Amino acid sequence: MITLVTSFCLCFSLAANGEKLTESIGPSYIAAVFEHRVVLNPEPHLELSRSAALEHMQKNLDVYEEQAALASVRGAQIIVFPEDGLQGFNFSRSSITGYLETIPDPQRESWNPCTQPYRYTNTEVLQRLSCMARQYKLYLVANMGDLQPCPLIPDPSTCPPDGHWQFNTDVVFRSDGLLTARYHKHNLYFENAFDQPPSPEVITFDTPFAGQFGVLTCFDILFHNPTVTLLKRGVRQLVYPTAWMNQLPLLAAVQFQQALSLGAQVSVLAANIRSDPLGMTGSGIFSPGSALFHHARTGEPEEGRLLVGRVPVLNSIGLEKKRTMEGIQVGEKLQREVESDSWSAKPLESGYCLAEERCKESLATPHSSPSPSSSPSHSITFVASMMYDPFSFVVLEGLEGKRTVCDGPLCCHLQFKRSPQGEHEELYALGAFTGTHTVNGRYALQVCALVRCAGSEANSCGQEVEEAESRVDFLLEGTFGTRHVYPSVLTSGLVLEQPALVERTADGGVFRMSHSGTTGGLVTACLYGRLYDQDNV
């Protein structure tokens, strides 16, 4: 029996200037994120002098200043810039040294770099960011390199051979320029220039307009520390600088940013890099009920994009109240910024409509999950690689029906009704995976995913696909061994839609998502479960 434990519903309207406005739902604030096309160092493997490195970073800081000014004019109270936005990528440990500054710990001392510039030397970037926040009256989040002497902890054996630490670091400034938070990224992703901190950091900062925010960076989003640790401490608003390379069909940047927002019931202010050669794009302002996002499409000019939106204030007290209500009702409207205007999806239905009466009955009353034996006997399970993991798949046949596929203790159940829209017949498959992902990172997963296959053959299922024509109404559920399940719906052109309904059992074992009436062809519908406690097993 499905026992519903949480509920969240927000309604948004679209103003003429493209900002998102709430409809008297309570306290809110205006946030900005900037997707930045970095001015790169063409030879990052060569060491630069401090003056040359500063000259390079000032070019990116000039862009930051322009965007901070624009965000301020649009009423923003906080702005987030991306990871690696000041210097770029592919540095070695030695070649990045000219870009580093020693960042004081704001938990130990109070320092305003703008008004106290001479307290520390070689802090020109900190000073400019501080003055930017102060001039435009913004809380400002940026990412830069931090050089710290050893040891940070009593054990000197953890100190690198060259006698100092180099950290990938987020800094947060108050609207008066005070340095209020410093976070050292814990989960590095092939970052030879930086060290992993000796221990995970859990960093928050307070604001007068929205209360507390937590800080995480890029690859951190997939791991227990700091993400789940922040959530367990009641943090429901996250700032998220990232330099994320999109990987379909399950881990496009905006796809997982939205999935975390929905699955954890948090707001995420995500700023990504724009780099076509590296496949980097995808930024947004996400709350559990709505989203403003940008994902550049092939052929669009390679340029930055500023997003500004009004966001409801979330807090842990509100979360506890909502846990007493029935169901997670999400997705009134979703907004995507495009080249010259804003795109808004129609309000979503709250039901799953394979047949109207059956749909109403299914969602109105608790019911058991379909068993594997309910799948047609001619359905054949096969294994294909998706995201470098061996998924068990079963192909969808006909225009409507049921499918079940299992992998170990995880069983994924699907009811579907699809409406082909074009001349080409598209193949879809339901996939399940339980296991530890080991390519470019190690983390334990349980995943149910409905995907459009790249071709007409079963062995094409699981490959990267960006476009689709078929509309698919669906009810997808899985028997998960974790409460940490992150839902997403991705349609043609990497356009997000928020599922009409999400629900789970009180013990978190069964997670269900339904959706109908997509505005574009379905690329992926995914329930992405993380078994954090099994990452190192």
Side-chain angles (χ1 to χ4, degrees):
M1 180 178 293
I2 299 294
T3 304
L4 308 181
V5 295
T6 55
S7 177
F8 201 83
C9 182
L10 294 176
C11 300
F12 289 90
S13 61
L14 181 63
N17 63 1
E19 294 180 2
K20 186 177 291 297
L21 303 176
T22 58
E23 296 179 349
S24 302
I25 61 170
S28 63
Y29 62 98
I30 299 179
V33 300
F34 180 59
E35 182 164 304
H36 178 42
R37 183 187 180 216
V38 187
V39 179
L40 294 171
N41 176 348
E43 297 180 308
H45 58 287
L46 299 180
E47 292 188 42
L48 291 182
S49 66
R50 172 63 177 171
S51 60
L54 272 176
E55 182 179 358
H56 173 210
M57 287 189 287
Q58 294 292 356
K59 295 176 182 178
N60 288 301
L61 285 165
D62 288 345
V63 178
Y64 280 21
E65 182 125 21
E66 293 172 0
Q67 299 304 317
L70 289 172
S72 178
V73 168
R74 295 175 67 177
Q77 295 158 285
I78 183 170
I79 186 168
V80 181
F81 291 104
E83 180 186 28
D84 297 328
L86 294 178
Q87 78 279 345
F89 332 100
N90 299 323
F91 291 89
S92 68
R93 183 174 182 83
S94 59
S95 68
I96 202 172
T97 53
Y99 291 85
L100 305 178
E101 298 187 358
T102 298
I103 305 171
D105 185 354
Q107 295 182 351
R108 297 185 176 183
E109 64 176 292
S110 177
W111 179 45
N112 189 317
C114 187
T115 61
Q116 302 167 301
Y118 302 111
R119 180 183 293 186
Y120 297 101
T121 59
N122 295 320
T123 55
E124 292 88 347
V125 172
L126 288 167
Q127 291 171 32
R128 186 159 182 195
L129 291 170
S130 169
C131 291
M132 207 181 296
R134 183 178 177 89
Q135 178 176 354
Y136 300 110
K137 299 180 174 57
L138 292 163
Y139 272 67
L140 187 148
V141 183
N143 177 270
M144 59 187 293
D146 183 19
L147 185 150
Q148 291 290 333
C150 285
L152 286 182
I153 58 176
D155 182 6
S157 65
T158 61
C159 184
D162 55 11
H164 64 269
W165 300 97
Q166 296 179 183
F167 295 125
N168 179 329
T169 306
D170 296 330
V171 288
V172 183
F173 297 90
R174 279 189 345 198
S175 55
D176 61 359
L178 186 79
L179 178 64
T180 190
R182 181 195 72 183
Y183 168 66
H184 295 143
K185 180 182 178 182
H186 188 72
N187 300 285
L188 302 180
Y189 190 83
F190 300 100
E191 299 173 56
N192 296 327
F194 295 118
D195 301 303
Q196 185 181 64
S199 58
E201 299 179 354
V202 182
I203 300 297
T204 62
F205 63 95
D206 293 316
T207 68
F209 52 83
Q212 190 176 65
F213 287 81
V215 188
L216 65 155
T217 312
C218 200
F219 204 35
D220 285 334
I221 200 171
L222 289 179
F223 295 91
H224 188 279
N225 287 316
T227 308
V228 177
T229 303
L230 285 166
L231 300 178
K232 287 183 176 179
R233 295 186 182 185
V235 177
R236 299 197 61 213
Q237 301 172 138
L238 304 172
V239 294
Y240 179 57
T242 185
W244 189 277
M245 292 181 286
N246 289 286
Q247 189 170 15
L248 290 168
L250 305 182
L251 288 178
V254 293
Q255 180 183 17
F256 201 77
Q257 292 161 16
Q258 180 208 33
L260 177 67
S261 175
L262 291 176
Q265 292 285 282
V266 295
S267 293
V268 180
L269 311 183
N272 199 4
I273 293 293
R274 174 70 189 277
S275 172
D276 288 354
L278 294 176
M280 292 180 178
T281 181
S283 305
I285 300 171
F286 298 89
S287 69
S290 193
L292 174 67
F293 68 97
H294 169 72
H295 180 101
R297 301 188 65 170
T298 302
E300 290 184 1
E302 190 177 4
E303 58 189 14
R305 178 62 59 90
L306 179 70
L307 303 179
V308 181
R310 185 175 291 274
V311 192
V313 174
L314 304 182
N315 55 64
S316 56
I317 295 175
L319 176 62
E320 293 305 315
K321 289 181 179 178
K322 288 175 175 61
R323 280 178 174 164
T324 67
M325 301 173 66
E326 293 187 352
I328 305 174
Q329 184 70 49
V330 297
E332 286 300 323
K333 288 190 177 180
L334 196 65
Q335 180 181 345
R336 177 185 179 182
E337 287 233 344
V338 293
E339 179 63 21
S340 59
D341 58 5
S342 295
W343 175 91
S344 178
K346 67 180 182 179
L348 303 174
E349 301 289 334
S350 62
Y352 165 62
C353 300
L354 292 180
E356 185 176 0
E357 293 303 316
R358 184 173 67 200
C359 171
K360 291 179 180 178
E361 179 182 355
S362 171
L363 294 179
T365 60
H367 59 282
S368 60
S369 304
S371 64
S373 61
S374 66
S375 299
S377 58
H378 58 275
S379 296
I380 300 174
T381 300
F382 62 96
V383 176
S385 177
M386 182 160 67
M387 308 285 292
Y388 305 104
D389 295 318
F391 273 72
S392 296
F393 282 104
V394 61
V395 167
L396 274 59
E397 298 175 347
L399 296 181
E400 63 180 286
K402 298 180 180 180
R403 287 291 182 271
T404 290
V405 64
C406 300
D407 186 24
L410 173 69
C411 283
C412 305
H413 308 294
L414 174 73
Q415 297 180 42
F416 70 93
K417 180 179 181 180
R418 56 180 173 174
S419 304
Q421 302 294 312
E423 298 178 356
H424 305 288
E425 183 175 349
E426 295 177 323
L427 184 67
Y428 283 83
L430 175 65
F433 174 71
T434 295
T436 300
H437 177 89
T438 59
V439 178
N440 299 336
R442 181 182 179 88
Y443 41 94
L445 299 173
Q446 285 188 328
V447 180
C448 292
L450 170 60
V451 298
R452 191 215 145 185
C453 305
S456 58
E457 300 297 326
N459 60 11
S460 72
C461 299
Q463 297 178 15
E464 293 194 13
V465 173
E466 291 191 13
E467 306 294 335
E469 295 179 337
S470 300
R471 271 62 165 176
V472 183
D473 298 345
F474 65 86
L475 172 61
L476 175 64
E477 72 176 36
T479 56
F480 289 88
T482 176
R483 293 188 59 82
H484 302 286
V485 181
Y486 306 108
S488 64
V489 179
L490 191 65
T491 62
S492 189
L494 278 78
V495 175
L496 296 174
E497 296 202 8
Q498 291 187 242
L501 186 71
V502 174
E503 57 188 10
R504 76 180 89 199
T505 56
D507 62 3
V510 177
F511 198 102
R512 174 184 293 132
M513 171 175 67
S514 68
H515 191 55
S516 61
T518 59
T519 59
L522 181 69
V523 171
T524 307
C526 181
L527 299 176
Y528 197 92
R530 279 287 282 113
L531 289 77
Y532 299 106
D533 60 340
Q534 298 183 25
D535 282 356
N536 297 315
V537 174

